[in-house]
Each structure stands twice: as structure tokens, then as C-alpha cells.
Amino acid sequence: EESLQMWDLNKRLEAYLARVKFLEEENEVLRAEIQSTKGSPAGDSWRAKYEEELRALRDALDHAFREKCTAELARDNLYEEVQQVKSRCQKEQAAREEAKKQLSLSRKELEEERRAQIWLKERAVQLEKEVEALLEVHEEEKAGLDQEIASFSQSLESFRCAPVAFQPVEVEDYSKRLSEIWKGAVETYKTEVSQLEGSLCQAKENLWKAVEDNQQSQLQLQHLEKDLVGLKARKEMLEENLARQWQEQRGEAEKFQLAMEALEQEKQSLRGQIAQVLEDRQQLMHLKMSLSLEVATYR
């Protein structure tokens, strides 16, 4: 049994020694290649080229980051300008609505003034008709009174006695009263006519003011429409510039992302190579320790 164990240990030791010898030879070859690569100008040029390419990629990355910051600042400025244009458009729209409201109010006032003017004209015609009727009634009453006075004077001439007692005092009082009433009616008519004329003049002034306000509102509305058209054109231009800058920024971001992915892949590959080398060295160390333990056990 001890012989079999010794024979097994010898076989394992031979295998381990062969494996160690092979690994040491391979390690020596790799070390020589590394030393030759480090000492040769080709290796230095490759390393310098790699470092130069890495430096160029870092510069491109910094340049892309600066361009990204610049594009973001320009985007923020454009967004603020668009917001200002929108607020101005809203103000112009509110002013336009206010002008429309003022125009509608002016039109309503104009219609009311026209209606008032028509009513005043109708009232003036009606008052003229009433005055003509009053004049006709007054003329008829005056003619009746003249006839009564004439008949009364004829009846007075038939009486010779007491001429003072039969003077037409009541008729004169009645005539004076009628004349006073007529004068009062005329004064009232003149007062009403003057009031109507004053109301008509005021209505005309209000009408002219409403017409002027309407013209001013129309001019202001035209100016506001022109400003609105200009603002719409500026808004469209700003939106086009913003869209173009967004496209440019997206293209640069895609290029930057591709460069980052390439660098990340290269980084991962280098990490994998370094991890493989470390793992090989770790395995070699474990193998050396195992062989040392086997040799010590064999001894």
C-alpha cells in the first residue's frame, strides 16, 4: 500500500514538475516578449500612439462636453426668449380682446345714440304737431272770442244808459288770461325745443366721439394685428432655430455617446485582459504553493 501511494505521488510529482516547467518556460517567453516590447521603439511608438489617441479622445470628450454646455445655454436662452414671445403674444391677444370689447361697447353706444337721435327727431316732430294743433285751437278760440266781443259790443250799443257798468271787463280778463296761457305754452315749447336741441347736440358730439373712438380702435387693432403677425413670424423663426439646434445637439450627443461606448468597450476589454493576467498569475502562485507542499510531503 505504501509503495502504491509512493508511486502515485511520484506520478503526480512528475506531472506537477512538467506543468511547472512548462509554465516557467511560458512565463520566461512572455517576460522576454514584454521586455523586448518595452525596449523596442515599435512598442514605444505603439504606446505613444495609444496614449496620443487616448489624449485626443479625451480632448474630443472635453470639446463635446463644452459644446453640450454651450448648446444647453443657447437652448435655455431660446426657451426664455420663446417664453417672452409667448407672454408678449398673450399680452397682445389680451389687448386685442380688450380693443374688441371697447369696439363692441362703442358700437353699442353708437346704436344707442342713433336710437336716441331718432327718438329725439320723432319727439321734435310730435312737439311741432302739438304746437300746430295748439296754434289752431288758439286761433279758433281767438276767433270765437272776437265774435263774442263783437256781438257783445253791438248789444252794448243798444243800451244808452250806464255805459260804464256794461264794459267787457270779464272778456278782457279772459283774453289776458288766454294770452298769458299762450305765452306760457310758447315759453314751455321754446324751453323744450332748446332742451331737445341741446340733447341733439350732445348726441351728435357723443356720436362723433364714438366714431372717433371706433376709428382709433380700428387703427389700434390694425397695429396689434401687424405686431401679432411679426411676433408669429419671429416665433416661427425661433422655433426653427431651436429645432435645428436640437438636431445638431442630438447628432453631437449621438457621436459623443458612440465615442463613450467605444471607450467603455475598450476599457472593459482592458479590464478583462488585466483580470485574465491576474487570474493566471494567481493560479500560477496557487500551483507553485501546491507543488511546494507536494514536494515537502514527498520529502
Side-chain angles (χ1 to χ4, degrees):
E1 185 177 359
E2 289 179 355
S3 297
L4 290 174
Q5 288 179 359
M6 290 296 293
W7 183 76
D8 189 14
L9 287 172
N10 286 326
K11 292 292 183 183
R12 291 176 64 185
L13 181 61
E14 288 177 0
Y16 282 132
L17 289 174
R19 178 68 177 168
V20 168
K21 187 177 181 181
F22 174 74
L23 290 174
E24 286 180 352
E25 290 176 355
E26 188 176 359
N27 194 7
E28 290 295 332
V29 171
L30 289 173
R31 188 177 298 168
E33 288 180 357
I34 290 170
Q35 291 295 330
S36 63
T37 305
K38 286 183 178 179
S40 64
D44 294 336
S45 63
W46 179 82
R47 185 173 182 180
K49 184 178 180 181
Y50 176 75
E51 289 179 354
E52 185 178 358
E53 187 176 358
L54 185 62
R55 193 179 300 109
L57 288 173
R58 286 177 180 174
D59 293 335
L61 183 64
D62 294 334
H63 183 67
F65 184 73
R66 287 194 296 270
E67 287 183 352
K68 182 182 178 183
C69 293
T70 306
E72 287 179 353
L73 290 174
R75 182 193 64 188
D76 294 335
N77 293 326
L78 286 173
Y79 181 75
E80 290 178 358
E81 192 171 357
V82 168
Q83 291 295 326
Q84 290 177 2
V85 170
K86 285 183 178 179
S87 63
R88 189 173 177 184
C89 286
Q90 291 176 358
K91 289 180 181 179
E92 294 294 335
Q93 188 69 25
R96 187 176 179 182
E97 294 294 332
E98 186 68 23
K100 285 183 178 179
K101 289 180 181 179
Q102 292 292 332
L103 183 60
S104 62
L105 291 174
S106 299
R107 286 177 180 174
K108 288 180 180 179
E109 290 179 357
L110 182 61
E111 292 294 331
E112 290 178 357
E113 293 295 334
R114 286 178 181 175
R115 290 175 183 175
Q117 187 178 3
I118 292 169
W119 181 80
L120 289 173
K121 288 180 180 179
E122 292 178 354
R123 182 65 177 168
V125 172
Q126 185 179 1
L127 289 174
E128 287 178 356
K129 289 180 180 179
E130 290 179 358
V131 169
E132 289 177 358
L134 288 173
L135 287 172
E136 290 177 358
V137 171
H138 180 68
E139 290 294 334
E140 290 177 357
E141 289 180 354
K142 188 177 180 182
L145 287 174
D146 290 335
Q147 289 178 2
E148 288 180 1
I149 290 169
S151 61
F152 186 72
S153 61
Q154 290 176 3
S155 63
L156 285 176
E157 288 178 356
S158 61
F159 295 98
R160 297 292 184 178
C161 60
V164 180
F166 294 98
Q167 291 180 358
V169 179
E170 295 179 358
V171 175
E172 291 179 359
D173 293 334
Y174 184 68
S175 178
K176 289 179 180 180
R177 192 175 297 173
L178 285 175
S179 63
E180 290 176 358
I181 292 170
W182 168 249
K183 289 180 181 179
V186 171
E187 293 293 333
T188 305
Y189 172 72
K190 288 181 179 180
T191 304
E192 290 181 357
V193 169
S194 62
Q195 290 178 358
L196 289 173
E197 288 179 354
S199 300
L200 185 61
C201 293
Q202 187 67 30
K204 287 181 179 180
E205 291 179 358
N206 293 329
L207 180 61
W208 281 110
K209 287 181 181 179
V211 171
E212 289 178 356
D213 292 336
N214 189 9
Q215 292 177 356
Q216 291 179 0
S217 299
Q218 289 179 356
L219 291 174
Q220 187 176 4
L221 184 61
Q222 291 177 359
H223 288 302
L224 290 175
E225 288 178 352
K226 290 180 181 178
D227 293 338
L228 183 62
V229 170
L231 289 173
K232 284 182 179 179
R234 184 173 176 78
K235 181 182 177 183
E236 291 176 356
M237 184 179 67
L238 290 174
E239 287 178 353
E240 290 178 357
N241 292 329
L242 184 61
R244 186 171 64 253
Q245 289 186 2
W246 270 106
Q247 292 293 331
E248 292 176 357
Q249 185 178 1
R250 187 176 296 174
E252 291 177 357
E254 289 178 356
K255 292 179 181 178
F256 175 71
Q257 188 68 27
L258 291 174
M260 288 292 294
E261 289 178 357
L263 289 173
E264 188 68 27
Q265 289 178 0
E266 188 175 358
K267 181 179 178 182
Q268 292 295 329
S269 63
L270 289 174
R271 282 184 179 179
Q273 292 177 4
I274 292 170
Q276 186 66 32
V277 171
L278 291 175
E279 187 177 359
D280 292 340
R281 290 185 65 183
Q282 192 72 24
Q283 289 179 0
L284 184 61
M285 291 296 293
H286 284 296
L287 188 58
K288 283 184 177 181
M289 290 176 66
S290 299
L291 288 173
S292 298
L293 290 174
E294 291 290 336
V295 170
T297 304
Y298 178 71
R299 287 177 180 175

